Amino acid sequence: FYLIKLLAFCSFIFGVIVITLYYPMSSKLKFFYFDIKNIYSEDAKYLKHYSGNGLWIKDEIDNEIYIISASSDNKDKFLKNVFITKFDNNFNIIESISSKKVDVSLNEWVIENPIVFKNNKQIQLEKNISLSSHFNFDKINKTFRDLNSLNLFELFNLKRENMLLGYSTEEVDLHFLRIISLPVYFSIMVIISAIIMLNIKRDKPYIFHVLIGILLSVIIYYINNIFSIFGLTDKIPIYLSVFFPIIFLSIVSTIGLVKINEK
Protein backbone atom coordinates (compact mmCIF):
# COMPACT_ATOMS: atom_id res chain seq x y z
CA PHE A 1 0.00 0.00 0.00
CA TYR A 2 2.87 2.39 0.81
CA LEU A 3 4.49 1.61 -2.55
CA ILE A 4 1.26 2.36 -4.44
CA LYS A 5 0.79 5.58 -2.49
CA LEU A 6 4.32 6.69 -3.37
CA LEU A 7 3.80 5.92 -7.08
CA ALA A 8 0.45 7.74 -7.11
CA PHE A 9 1.99 10.82 -5.48
CA CYS A 10 4.84 10.87 -8.01
CA SER A 11 2.31 10.57 -10.83
CA PHE A 12 0.32 13.49 -9.45
CA ILE A 13 3.47 15.65 -9.30
CA PHE A 14 4.31 14.57 -12.85
CA GLY A 15 0.80 15.66 -13.96
CA VAL A 16 1.31 19.08 -12.35
CA ILE A 17 4.63 19.43 -14.20
CA VAL A 18 2.90 18.51 -17.48
CA ILE A 19 0.26 21.23 -16.96
CA THR A 20 2.60 23.97 -15.78
CA LEU A 21 5.67 23.37 -17.96
CA TYR A 22 5.05 20.95 -20.82
CA TYR A 23 1.53 21.99 -21.89
CA PRO A 24 2.31 25.73 -22.40
CA MET A 25 5.39 24.79 -24.44
CA SER A 26 3.55 22.19 -26.55
CA SER A 27 0.61 24.55 -27.18
CA LYS A 28 3.04 27.21 -28.40
CA LEU A 29 4.72 24.72 -30.74
CA LYS A 30 1.32 23.68 -32.10
CA PHE A 31 0.47 27.36 -32.61
CA PHE A 32 3.61 27.71 -34.76
CA TYR A 33 2.68 24.52 -36.59
CA PHE A 34 -0.71 25.96 -37.59
CA ASP A 35 0.90 29.20 -38.77
CA ILE A 36 3.39 27.30 -40.94
CA LYS A 37 0.63 25.00 -42.20
CA ASN A 38 -1.52 27.96 -43.25
CA ILE A 39 1.28 29.26 -45.46
CA TYR A 40 1.25 26.09 -47.55
CA SER A 41 -2.42 25.17 -47.19
CA GLU A 42 -5.41 26.46 -49.10
CA ASP A 43 -7.27 26.65 -45.78
CA ALA A 44 -5.83 30.16 -45.38
CA LYS A 45 -8.35 31.30 -48.00
CA TYR A 46 -11.18 30.55 -45.60
CA LEU A 47 -11.26 32.67 -42.47
CA LYS A 48 -13.68 33.10 -39.60
CA HIS A 49 -13.50 35.85 -37.00
CA TYR A 50 -15.69 37.01 -34.14
CA SER A 51 -15.59 40.69 -33.23
CA GLY A 52 -17.72 43.21 -31.40
CA ASN A 53 -19.65 43.66 -34.65
CA GLY A 54 -20.57 39.96 -34.85
CA LEU A 55 -19.35 37.20 -37.10
CA TRP A 56 -17.15 37.81 -40.15
CA ILE A 57 -16.34 35.15 -42.75
CA LYS A 58 -14.05 35.23 -45.76
CA ASP A 59 -14.74 32.49 -48.29
CA GLU A 60 -13.46 31.75 -51.80
CA ILE A 61 -15.62 29.83 -54.25
CA ASP A 62 -15.06 29.39 -58.01
CA ASN A 63 -12.48 32.20 -58.15
CA GLU A 64 -14.90 34.56 -56.41
CA ILE A 65 -14.29 36.02 -52.97
CA TYR A 66 -17.09 36.39 -50.45
CA ILE A 67 -16.99 38.63 -47.41
CA ILE A 68 -19.88 37.79 -45.07
CA SER A 69 -20.99 39.61 -41.94
CA ALA A 70 -23.75 38.26 -39.69
CA SER A 71 -24.93 37.52 -36.20
CA SER A 72 -25.55 33.91 -35.21
CA ASP A 73 -27.61 32.07 -32.63
CA ASN A 74 -25.96 28.83 -31.58
CA LYS A 75 -29.34 27.42 -30.52
CA ASP A 76 -30.44 27.00 -34.13
CA LYS A 77 -28.72 26.57 -37.46
CA PHE A 78 -29.24 30.05 -38.87
CA LEU A 79 -27.23 33.19 -39.40
CA LYS A 80 -29.19 36.38 -38.90
CA ASN A 81 -28.88 39.90 -40.35
CA VAL A 82 -26.57 38.60 -43.06
CA PHE A 83 -24.79 40.80 -45.59
CA ILE A 84 -22.79 39.06 -48.32
CA THR A 85 -20.46 40.95 -50.64
CA LYS A 86 -19.11 39.09 -53.68
CA PHE A 87 -15.83 40.18 -55.33
CA ASP A 88 -13.81 39.00 -58.29
CA ASN A 89 -10.11 38.10 -57.97
CA ASN A 90 -9.17 41.79 -58.22
CA PHE A 91 -11.58 42.67 -55.42
CA ASN A 92 -14.02 44.44 -57.71
CA ILE A 93 -17.54 44.22 -56.33
CA ILE A 94 -19.81 41.96 -58.35
CA GLU A 95 -22.92 42.12 -56.18
CA SER A 96 -24.14 42.24 -52.59
CA ILE A 97 -26.87 40.19 -50.94
CA SER A 98 -28.77 41.05 -47.79
CA SER A 99 -31.00 38.69 -45.82
CA LYS A 100 -32.57 38.56 -42.38
CA LYS A 101 -32.06 34.81 -42.13
CA VAL A 102 -29.75 32.24 -43.76
CA ASP A 103 -29.86 28.49 -43.14
CA VAL A 104 -26.24 27.29 -42.70
CA SER A 105 -26.93 23.75 -41.50
CA LEU A 106 -25.16 22.41 -44.62
CA ASN A 107 -22.40 23.67 -46.91
CA GLU A 108 -25.14 24.65 -49.35
CA TRP A 109 -26.56 27.75 -47.64
CA VAL A 110 -30.20 28.71 -48.15
CA ILE A 111 -30.66 32.50 -48.24
CA GLU A 112 -34.24 33.39 -47.33
CA ASN A 113 -36.01 36.41 -48.86
CA PRO A 114 -32.79 37.90 -50.26
CA ILE A 115 -32.31 41.48 -51.41
CA VAL A 116 -29.73 41.72 -54.21
CA PHE A 117 -27.74 44.92 -54.84
CA LYS A 118 -26.24 44.92 -58.34
CA ASN A 119 -25.47 47.60 -60.93
CA ASN A 120 -26.80 50.31 -58.62
CA LYS A 121 -30.12 48.49 -58.42
CA GLN A 122 -31.91 46.89 -55.51
CA ILE A 123 -33.90 43.75 -56.28
CA GLN A 124 -36.16 41.96 -53.79
CA LEU A 125 -36.32 38.29 -54.77
CA GLU A 126 -39.47 36.36 -53.96
CA LYS A 127 -37.80 32.96 -53.72
CA ASN A 128 -34.89 31.66 -51.70
CA ILE A 129 -31.48 31.29 -53.30
CA SER A 130 -28.59 28.96 -52.45
CA LEU A 131 -24.90 29.64 -51.94
CA SER A 132 -22.13 27.04 -51.79
CA SER A 133 -19.70 27.58 -48.95
CA HIS A 134 -16.79 25.91 -47.20
CA PHE A 135 -18.54 26.67 -43.89
CA ASN A 136 -21.55 25.07 -42.23
CA PHE A 137 -23.17 25.30 -38.80
CA ASP A 138 -20.73 22.91 -37.12
CA LYS A 139 -17.63 24.59 -38.54
CA ILE A 140 -18.90 28.08 -37.68
CA ASN A 141 -19.62 27.19 -34.06
CA LYS A 142 -16.41 25.28 -33.49
CA THR A 143 -13.24 27.07 -32.51
CA PHE A 144 -11.36 27.82 -35.72
CA ARG A 145 -7.97 27.19 -34.16
CA ASP A 146 -7.36 23.86 -32.44
CA LEU A 147 -7.82 24.26 -28.67
CA ASN A 148 -4.58 22.33 -28.11
CA SER A 149 -2.72 25.32 -29.56
CA LEU A 150 -4.00 27.61 -26.77
CA ASN A 151 -2.45 27.82 -23.32
CA LEU A 152 -4.53 28.18 -20.16
CA PHE A 153 -4.62 31.99 -20.26
CA GLU A 154 -5.67 31.96 -23.92
CA LEU A 155 -8.42 29.46 -23.09
CA PHE A 156 -9.72 31.84 -20.42
CA ASN A 157 -9.71 34.71 -22.92
CA LEU A 158 -11.45 32.60 -25.57
CA LYS A 159 -14.17 31.61 -23.11
CA ARG A 160 -14.71 35.24 -22.09
CA GLU A 161 -14.95 36.34 -25.72
CA ASN A 162 -17.46 33.61 -26.55
CA MET A 163 -19.57 34.57 -23.53
CA LEU A 164 -19.59 38.23 -24.56
CA LEU A 165 -20.67 37.29 -28.08
CA GLY A 166 -23.27 34.80 -26.88
CA TYR A 167 -21.56 31.74 -28.34
CA SER A 168 -21.20 28.31 -26.75
CA THR A 169 -18.30 27.80 -24.33
CA GLU A 170 -18.91 24.10 -23.70
CA GLU A 171 -16.06 22.87 -25.91
CA VAL A 172 -13.63 25.26 -24.18
CA ASP A 173 -14.91 24.24 -20.72
CA LEU A 174 -14.52 20.56 -21.56
CA HIS A 175 -10.95 21.05 -22.80
CA PHE A 176 -10.01 23.15 -19.75
CA LEU A 177 -11.46 20.64 -17.28
CA ARG A 178 -9.58 17.81 -18.98
CA ILE A 179 -6.33 19.71 -18.53
CA ILE A 180 -6.74 20.56 -14.83
CA SER A 181 -7.92 17.01 -14.01
CA LEU A 182 -4.84 15.46 -15.63
CA PRO A 183 -2.78 15.01 -12.39
CA VAL A 184 -5.67 13.19 -10.70
CA TYR A 185 -6.20 11.06 -13.79
CA PHE A 186 -2.51 10.09 -13.89
CA SER A 187 -2.60 9.07 -10.22
CA ILE A 188 -5.71 6.94 -10.65
CA MET A 189 -4.28 5.18 -13.70
CA VAL A 190 -1.08 4.32 -11.80
CA ILE A 191 -3.12 2.98 -8.87
CA ILE A 192 -5.25 0.80 -11.16
CA SER A 193 -2.12 -0.46 -12.95
CA ALA A 194 -0.46 -1.32 -9.63
CA ILE A 195 -3.57 -3.13 -8.37
CA ILE A 196 -3.72 -5.24 -11.52
CA MET A 197 -0.02 -6.12 -11.39
CA LEU A 198 -0.18 -7.09 -7.71
CA ASN A 199 -3.14 -9.37 -8.37
CA ILE A 200 -1.60 -11.20 -11.35
CA LYS A 201 0.45 -14.28 -10.62
CA ARG A 202 4.12 -14.21 -11.54
CA ASP A 203 3.89 -17.23 -13.82
CA LYS A 204 1.66 -15.37 -16.30
CA PRO A 205 3.38 -14.63 -19.65
CA TYR A 206 4.33 -11.06 -20.56
CA ILE A 207 1.88 -11.05 -23.48
CA PHE A 208 -0.92 -11.45 -20.93
CA HIS A 209 0.15 -8.27 -19.15
CA VAL A 210 0.35 -6.40 -22.45
CA LEU A 211 -3.12 -7.52 -23.55
CA ILE A 212 -4.65 -6.59 -20.18
CA GLY A 213 -3.05 -3.14 -20.40
CA ILE A 214 -4.26 -2.52 -23.97
CA LEU A 215 -7.79 -3.75 -23.16
CA LEU A 216 -8.12 -1.50 -20.12
CA SER A 217 -6.68 1.48 -22.01
CA VAL A 218 -9.22 1.06 -24.81
CA ILE A 219 -12.13 0.68 -22.36
CA ILE A 220 -11.15 3.78 -20.36
CA TYR A 221 -10.56 5.75 -23.56
CA TYR A 222 -14.04 5.00 -24.87
CA ILE A 223 -15.66 5.71 -21.51
CA ASN A 224 -14.06 9.18 -21.53
CA ASN A 225 -15.10 9.79 -25.14
CA ILE A 226 -18.70 8.71 -24.57
CA PHE A 227 -19.11 11.01 -21.58
CA SER A 228 -17.45 13.87 -23.48
CA ILE A 229 -20.02 13.46 -26.26
CA PHE A 230 -22.81 13.40 -23.68
CA GLY A 231 -21.49 16.67 -22.25
CA LEU A 232 -21.16 18.44 -25.62
CA THR A 233 -24.67 17.36 -26.65
CA ASP A 234 -26.18 18.59 -23.34
CA LYS A 235 -27.22 15.09 -22.26
CA ILE A 236 -25.38 15.62 -18.98
CA PRO A 237 -23.66 18.68 -17.44
CA ILE A 238 -20.23 19.42 -18.89
CA TYR A 239 -18.56 19.10 -15.47
CA LEU A 240 -20.10 15.68 -14.89
CA SER A 241 -18.90 14.48 -18.31
CA VAL A 242 -15.29 15.03 -17.17
CA PHE A 243 -15.46 14.05 -13.51
CA PHE A 244 -17.84 11.07 -13.64
CA PRO A 245 -15.24 8.76 -15.32
CA ILE A 246 -12.67 9.95 -12.75
CA ILE A 247 -15.07 9.28 -9.87
CA PHE A 248 -15.90 5.85 -11.27
CA LEU A 249 -12.23 4.94 -11.66
CA SER A 250 -11.54 6.28 -8.15
CA ILE A 251 -14.18 3.97 -6.69
CA VAL A 252 -12.73 0.99 -8.58
CA SER A 253 -9.19 1.81 -7.42
CA THR A 254 -10.35 2.32 -3.82
CA ILE A 255 -12.00 -1.12 -3.75
CA GLY A 256 -8.80 -2.62 -5.14
CA LEU A 257 -6.66 -0.83 -2.54
CA VAL A 258 -8.85 -2.11 0.30
CA LYS A 259 -8.50 -5.69 -0.95
CA ILE A 260 -4.71 -5.34 -1.27
CA ASN A 261 -4.47 -3.81 2.21
CA GLU A 262 -6.43 -6.75 3.62
CA LYS A 263 -3.86 -9.15 2.15
Side-chain angles (χ1 to χ4, degrees):
F1 181 75
Y2 175 78
L3 176 63
I4 294 175
K5 184 170 66 175
L6 180 62
L7 291 172
F9 177 76
C10 293
S11 301
F12 184 88
I13 297 299
F14 176 72
V16 173
I17 293 173
V18 168
I19 293 175
T20 55
L21 298 179
Y22 172 76
Y23 182 78
M25 180 179 66
S26 66
S27 64
K28 195 66 176 178
L29 290 174
K30 199 157 191 178
F31 177 85
F32 289 139
Y33 162 75
F34 280 119
D35 278 353
I36 295 171
K37 178 185 175 184
N38 284 336
I39 296 174
Y40 300 100
S41 173
E42 292 186 353
D43 290 344
K45 298 177 182 178
Y46 322 124
L47 304 174
K48 183 191 72 174
H49 176 67
Y50 292 115
S51 71
N53 296 321
L55 171 67
W56 290 84
I57 294 174
K58 178 193 172 188
D59 204 351
E60 187 172 324
I61 306 163
D62 297 331
N63 295 320
E64 293 177 337
I65 301 169
Y66 292 80
I67 303 295
I68 303 161
S69 65
S71 58
S72 68
D73 184 354
N74 53 34
K75 295 179 181 179
D76 55 35
K77 298 187 177 183
F78 292 92
L79 293 180
K80 298 178 180 178
N81 302 318
V82 180
F83 194 84
I84 304 170
T85 305
K86 181 163 67 172
F87 301 87
D88 60 21
N89 284 329
N90 296 318
F91 281 94
N92 298 312
I93 296 179
I94 299 174
E95 65 179 11
S96 298
I97 303 171
S98 175
S99 175
K100 294 291 184 182
K101 196 174 184 181
V102 176
D103 184 350
V104 294
S105 55
L106 303 173
N107 290 92
E108 192 73 20
W109 293 9
V110 178
I111 305 174
E112 300 183 2
N113 302 318
I115 301 175
V116 179
F117 302 90
K118 188 174 183 180
N119 299 326
N120 296 321
K121 293 181 181 179
Q122 177 178 321
I123 305 171
Q124 174 73 62
L125 300 182
E126 297 181 357
K127 62 179 182 179
N128 299 338
I129 61 175
S130 61
L131 173 68
S132 296
S133 175
H134 293 95
F135 290 89
N136 53 37
F137 175 78
D138 292 330
K139 190 169 182 179
I140 289 173
N141 280 279
K142 284 182 179 178
T143 306
F144 190 67
R145 190 179 294 276
D146 193 327
L147 292 177
N148 288 316
S149 67
L150 304 177
N151 59 41
L152 296 179
F153 295 106
E154 289 170 334
L155 286 173
F156 273 121
N157 292 333
L158 177 62
K159 179 179 179 179
R160 187 173 64 251
E161 290 174 4
N162 284 2
M163 291 175 65
L164 291 173
L165 295 170
Y167 297 108
S168 174
T169 62
E170 290 182 346
E171 193 174 355
V172 181
D173 290 335
L174 179 63
H175 186 72
F176 179 75
L177 288 173
R178 280 180 171 177
I179 294 173
I180 63 173
S181 63
L182 195 62
V184 178
Y185 184 74
F186 279 177
S187 299
I188 294 172
M189 293 301 295
V190 166
I191 292 173
I192 292 175
S193 302
I195 291 171
I196 293 171
M197 293 303 297
L198 291 173
N199 281 282
I200 295 178
K201 295 181 179 179
R202 293 184 180 180
D203 58 350
K204 293 289 184 182
Y206 286 115
I207 188 66
F208 179 80
H209 298 79
V210 174
L211 291 177
I212 288 291
I214 293 175
L215 178 62
L216 286 174
S217 299
V218 171
I219 291 173
I220 293 171
Y221 172 80
Y222 277 106
I223 288 174
N224 283 325
N225 267 13
I226 289 171
F227 277 93
S228 296
I229 293 171
F230 284 161
L232 291 174
T233 55
D234 294 328
K235 302 294 183 183
I236 58 175
I238 199 73
Y239 294 93
L240 188 60
S241 69
V242 175
F243 291 115
F244 183 84
I246 292 178
I247 294 171
F248 174 74
L249 294 174
S250 299
I251 294 172
V252 172
S253 60
T254 302
I255 294 172
L257 286 175
V258 170
K259 290 184 177 180
I260 287 178
N261 199 42
E262 289 175 352
K263 291 181 180 181

